[in-house]
Amino acid sequence: MKNNFRNSKLLVIEDNSDHRFFIEKAMKTCLSEVSAIHMSTEQQAIAYMDSCLYQEWDLPTLILLDLYLPNRENGWRILEHIRQMPTPINQIPIVMLSYSNQRDDIAEAYQKGISSYLVKPTHEEEWVSYFQKLRSYWWETVTLPKMRFSF
Amino acid sequence: MKNNFRNSKLLVIEDNSDHRFFIEKAMKTCLSEVSAIHMSTEQQAIAYMDSCLYQEWDLPTLILLDLYLPNRENGWRILEHIRQMPTPINQIPIVMLSYSNQRDDIAEAYQKGISSYLVKPTHEEEWVSYFQKLRSYWWETVTLPKMRFSF
């Protein structure tokens, strides 16, 4: 068991309130040790990440990023912004979680430096299974980059 | 269930013959649908990836990259080479699998664009559990970028 749960925060950038509800529910069910931080617009997400420059204890362990927020340009700008931030913030893994299964969106997301791409579940009960997979991989298997305050 | 198993290849870049043996055994146990391609030096790995420019059907779905091959400069050069290759080859997710749990190695790997970092198991039986996690996440959950020939 990795130590990734310690002070662990997941930044969820999602503008669809239904999906946000499913994410909150799934996190309560199978990722209850992790605090969720919810942002629903590009401006909010970027302001939050910028504020982490001065409040490193707020830094997320992992970022779950929707793409169409509401346009994909919003998602791309968030992704590019985080990847251009100073070390170690630019090292935080970003998992894209979008309803789009368009080949171009998937290719561009990997091109711009996401860690992996998940197409949103189509059935309600699948959300929990997705979060079980996220828990099992990102919290129980992977070694994450250390943020300055997380030791 | 995702379609990621179709013509799926895992490129394993590993110079330690014991670890290679454990990887082969774990893949037989829980990732038998996936073909493994083994390379053990920087030169071999780069030559293989370069040959994929002309033989796209050889492209791996995922790359498992050791770092000290035998020095970490060898691992960094492979990583940088792949990330500078033409689209879509540079989009292939790279998972680093190294015995090093040094903070600097982990940070630099994320900085240079790996998808996630796994510290090698210390007990033989853990290798299978690692590969079960890899299967569950990368083959059964994630949507991978399409390589031109893999449809």
Side-chain angles (χ1 to χ4, degrees):
Chain A
M1 182 68 75
K2 298 284 177 294
N3 200 17
N4 298 345
F5 286 103
R6 202 164 169 188
N7 300 323
S8 182
K9 292 178 189 64
L10 176 68
L11 174 59
V12 179
I13 308 170
E14 173 60 75
D15 63 347
N16 180 308
S17 57
D18 288 346
H19 295 167
R20 205 161 147 154
F21 173 78
F22 293 136
I23 290 171
E24 283 175 13
K25 211 171 138 187
M27 284 189 67
K28 267 183 206 144
T29 309
C30 62
L31 204 57
S32 59
E33 308 92 327
V34 174
S35 319
I37 306 154
H38 289 276
M39 298 290 151
S40 55
T41 66
E42 176 195 338
Q43 290 71 24
Q44 274 183 5
I46 287 179
Y48 182 84
M49 290 306 295
D50 285 349
S51 76
C52 290
L53 284 167
Y54 310 102
Q55 301 173 65
E56 287 173 343
W57 49 89
D58 283 338
L59 275 172
T61 317
L62 186 75
I63 298 169
L64 211 54
L65 174 62
D66 188 15
L67 177 54
Y68 287 76
L69 289 157
N71 302 307
R72 61 182 192 164
E73 286 68 27
N74 303 103
W76 296 145
R77 277 196 294 263
I78 298 171
L79 179 50
E80 286 163 0
H81 185 87
I82 298 170
R83 284 289 172 255
Q84 286 162 13
M85 287 184 77
T87 300
I89 303 182
N90 62 349
Q91 295 165 8
I92 300 172
I94 301 176
V95 173
M96 187 150 272
L97 180 63
S98 168
Y99 66 79
S100 167
N101 60 7
Q102 295 296 305
R103 193 171 164 152
D104 286 354
D105 286 342
I106 297 163
E108 194 162 346
Y110 280 100
Q111 192 74 39
K112 289 185 191 295
I114 59 154
S115 176
S116 45
Y117 192 104
L118 305 185
V119 176
K120 281 182 181 167
T122 44
H123 298 292
E124 194 186 325
E125 61 279 11
E126 288 177 281
W127 286 89
V128 172
S129 122
Y130 260 52
F131 275 81
Q132 276 162 345
K133 303 291 186 97
L134 287 171
R135 176 194 177 93
S136 164
Y137 191 71
W138 288 105
W139 279 272
E140 296 178 355
T141 310
V142 161
T143 297
L144 293 166
K146 283 270 179 294
M147 296 298 121
R148 255 161 281 174
F149 278 87
S150 62
F151 44 75
Chain B
M1 184 66 77
K2 298 285 177 296
N3 200 17
N4 298 344
F5 287 103
R6 204 164 168 186
N7 300 323
S8 184
K9 292 177 188 67
L10 176 68
L11 174 59
V12 179
I13 308 170
E14 173 61 72
D15 63 347
N16 179 307
S17 58
D18 288 346
H19 296 167
R20 206 160 145 154
F21 173 79
F22 293 136
I23 290 171
E24 283 175 13
K25 211 170 138 188
M27 284 189 69
K28 266 184 207 142
T29 309
C30 61
L31 204 57
S32 59
E33 308 92 327
V34 174
S35 319
I37 306 154
H38 289 276
M39 299 290 150
S40 55
T41 66
E42 176 195 339
Q43 289 71 25
Q44 274 183 4
I46 287 179
Y48 181 84
M49 289 306 295
D50 286 349
S51 75
C52 290
L53 284 167
Y54 310 101
Q55 301 172 68
E56 288 174 343
W57 51 89
D58 283 338
L59 275 172
T61 316
L62 187 76
I63 298 169
L64 210 54
L65 174 63
D66 188 15
L67 178 54
Y68 288 76
L69 289 158
N71 302 307
R72 61 182 192 163
E73 286 67 28
N74 303 102
W76 296 145
R77 277 196 293 263
I78 297 172
L79 179 50
E80 286 163 0
H81 185 88
I82 298 170
R83 284 289 172 255
Q84 286 162 11
M85 288 185 76
T87 300
I89 302 181
N90 61 351
Q91 295 166 9
I92 300 172
I94 301 176
V95 173
M96 185 150 272
L97 181 63
S98 169
Y99 66 80
S100 166
N101 60 7
Q102 294 297 304
R103 194 172 165 152
D104 287 354
D105 286 342
I106 297 163
E108 193 162 347
Y110 280 101
Q111 193 74 39
K112 290 185 190 293
I114 60 153
S115 177
S116 45
Y117 192 104
L118 305 185
V119 176
K120 281 180 181 168
T122 43
H123 298 290
E124 192 185 328
E125 61 279 12
E126 288 177 281
W127 286 89
V128 172
S129 123
Y130 261 54
F131 274 82
Q132 275 163 344
K133 303 290 187 97
L134 288 171
R135 177 195 176 94
S136 164
Y137 191 71
W138 289 104
W139 279 272
E140 296 178 355
T141 310
V142 161
T143 298
L144 293 166
K146 283 271 177 297
M147 296 298 119
R148 253 161 281 172
F149 278 87
S150 62
F151 42 75

